Amino acid sequence: MKKFQLFILLIYSIFTHANIRMPLIFSDGMVLQRNKTIPVWGWADANEKVAVHFNRQIVKTQADKNGKWTLNLKAENAGGPFELIIIGKNKITIKNILVGEVWICSGQSNMEFQVSKTMNAEKEIADSNYPMIRHFGIAQDLSGTPKEDLKAGKWEVSNKETVGNFTAVGFYFAKKLYAELKIPIGIINTSWGGTNVETWTSREAFEKSDEFKSMIADVPTVDMDFIFESYKKSVLGNLKKVQGFEVTMDNEKQFKEFSFDDKNWPQIKVPSLWENQQIGNIDGIVWMRKTIVLTAEQAKKEAVLHLSKVDDEDQTFVNGVEVGTNNIWEKLRIYKIPAGVLKEGNNVIAVRITDYSGGGGIYGEASDLKIQFKDNAIQLEGLWKFNVVQVKMSVSPNSYPSLLYNAMVNPLVPFAIQGVLWYQGEANVWRAKQYKKAFPLMITDWRTKFKQGNFPFYFVQLSTFDEFKGNSKIGSRWAELREAQSETLKLKNTGMAVTTDIGNAKDIHPTNKQDVGLRLAAIALNNIYGKKQIYSGPTFRSQEIKGNQIILTFDTIGSGLSTLDNSENVTGFEIAGVDKVFHSAKAIIKDNKIIVSSENVPNPVAVHYGWADDDTEINLFNKEKFPASPFRTDDWEMITANEKYQVSK
């Protein structure tokens, strides 16, 4: 009996010993940072001895009482392939490792945006066989507390089969670096569309911030089950306040019918995504209805319903009759209305919209929203009735602070990197002024966590997008966010790629990611890699008021100020007096300065340049063809001045 018990104990001890385990970032095909100490870490049994072998280096250590172990390899030159061998009670061999330059690529959807969606994608994919470029894609994940390891992720070598799913900005950046340096380039893609900067920042950073410490003090350290229940309660409660009734699918079969009475439904502006309005950031099912009045003559005519675009799927009815359906979010909805459906007097258009992720609702150009007859049309833009009948209950990364830092950044610490590329800000335009504190806080937080000094942190300034039709007269959240990004350049070792000239006012996801990557690469090549060049456009330095003119001087003008067509007249400038009313201004280039004036402003005090959501028309560059960053010379209070980050309770 005793022998049997000893045998059972032996078997138990064998199977309960923890094998050495490595973080997912340490896996076949990885790239390690050159010319820096290389931290290596993992898990084993408590107090287990561990030896790590790499390219003639052997370093030994011992796991702590919790089984965590960490050691440092000496810096290596670029090269490879190598093997990393970890030996404890078991042995792990990680193969095909290169040593070169490693960059983290992070942010929201424009960093997440894939190579396969960019302009000239087929051509780019055909030219993607670069064995020295490696991409590590991190699976999206949330956590209420810092995680030790990633949910999932793998290293992939750049080729025609893999590159389509790479971060486009990161890939075009890596491709340019490789062309210039001829050494391995690794890009680590940790991004999530629609996310705010606060979810990428650690709790500890908020606790040390005067701006945010009172906010974080009210946020408990909680698990995801608690977060889910809190989120559910908050979303459904807010929607009940907005609608005046519960979210329910009861009786929804009646909503398509002409006879249904929707007088108690609230109204929403169309075309516009509902995330920008009172419905808020939800995925689910929403009914929208619009009543129009037709004459007897119109009712007899052939008609086509143009519903602009619907994100994501629609079932569309006219007077209870289904006229069309589509599930491609970016496709124009054009539905022929069958004869006999329209009638004199009231007619009802009812649309059942299903939003699976991201933005939701009827959106696009107002001119594409109409009932078209042969010789005229009835426009359908304006207020529509709505009823949210179902909400997809999944926790948003924006539900609580730090959720993405905990799950998608903390597991990377302290992996050796050269720097970070960042493309984000669209989700923070409502709190643009506070972004002046939130964004530098996040950068400083990451630098503190990785313990690799003030590593390079290069970011993309928001491109043009006419989300709210904002401008100098009514205020522009997008312009304010761009200003916050410009001010972040005060942080040491930061750089900004200006993209005002390569955006799309009607698409928040412009497809020209090639130039974005190239502009970020130009900053890196100049600042880090000794490839001295002009890498940015003009930035405002100072103004001088002379009579009815304001004379502006700039830094980083390169070979001189210019416009793309080499004309002296510069567009996008506005000027104001003490009344703070801005007027379109004449602006000319003279002696590498800009002279701004307007006959409507005899005593000017301030200038705006590109101060609008849609700043497509601005045209100030340097001769190296880098665009000037939008700016203002005043310090007057802006429309986001009092907007603060809050956590739903």
Side-chain angles (χ1 to χ4, degrees), residues 142-298:
L142 308 173
S143 180
T145 55
K147 295 183 71 172
E148 285 191 323
D149 203 2
L150 301 165
K151 177 182 178 181
K154 64 178 179 177
W155 286 96
E156 292 183 301
V157 176
S158 175
N159 56 49
K160 294 178 183 179
E161 286 69 42
T162 62
V163 77
N165 289 323
F166 288 12
T167 162
V169 169
F171 172 69
Y172 296 128
F173 171 86
K175 189 175 178 182
K176 179 61 175 177
L177 255 58
Y178 179 72
E180 295 289 335
L181 305 176
K182 300 300 182 190
I183 61 172
I185 309 293
I187 48 177
I188 300 171
N189 178 14
T190 179
S191 53
W192 191 322
T195 53
N196 59 39
V197 73
E198 292 85 0
T199 193
W200 292 101
T201 307
S202 77
R203 183 183 185 92
E204 291 82 3
F206 290 127
E207 290 172 339
K208 296 174 183 176
S209 165
D210 291 339
E211 179 75 15
F212 294 101
K213 62 184 178 183
S214 60
M215 174 278 295
I216 202 67
D218 293 332
V219 178
T221 302
V222 292
D223 61 24
M224 291 308 298
D225 289 338
F226 177 87
I227 290 175
F228 175 78
E229 290 303 320
S230 299
Y231 172 75
K232 179 179 178 181
K233 181 180 178 182
S234 172
V235 169
L236 295 180
N238 288 338
L239 286 173
K240 184 177 180 180
K241 289 179 183 178
V242 167
Q243 298 191 151
F245 44 82
E246 302 280 355
V247 173
T248 175
M249 298 186 76
D250 292 348
N251 304 317
E252 77 151 337
K253 290 182 179 179
Q254 302 176 26
F255 297 167
K256 67 181 181 182
E257 302 297 341
F258 170 81
S259 59
F260 178 76
D261 185 359
D262 58 20
K263 66 181 180 182
N264 293 324
W265 287 17
Q267 297 183 107
I268 194 169
K269 187 177 76 171
V270 174
S272 179
L273 295 176
W274 62 53
E275 277 77 3
N276 302 329
Q277 304 185 69
Q278 65 266 47
I279 293 178
N281 187 22
I282 67 159
D283 301 321
I285 300 173
V286 179
W287 279 87
M288 291 189 180
R289 287 170 55 98
K290 178 79 169 178
T291 299
I292 59 170
V293 179
L294 300 180
T295 64
E297 183 181 356
Q298 287 173 321

Side-chain angles (χ1 to χ4, degrees), residues 328-343:
I328 302 174
W329 66 274
E330 55 188 345
K331 186 176 179 62
L332 287 170
R333 269 53 170 184
I334 302 174
Y335 303 136
K336 184 176 180 180
I337 301 174
V341 170
L342 297 177
K343 57 185 180 179

Side-chain angles (χ1 to χ4, degrees), residues 315-339:
Q315 280 182 279
T316 299
F317 305 84
V318 176
N319 294 334
V321 176
E322 184 170 348
V323 296
T325 183
N326 201 301
N327 61 5
I328 302 174
W329 66 274
E330 55 188 345
K331 186 176 179 62
L332 287 170
R333 269 53 170 184
I334 302 174
Y335 303 136
K336 184 176 180 180
I337 301 174

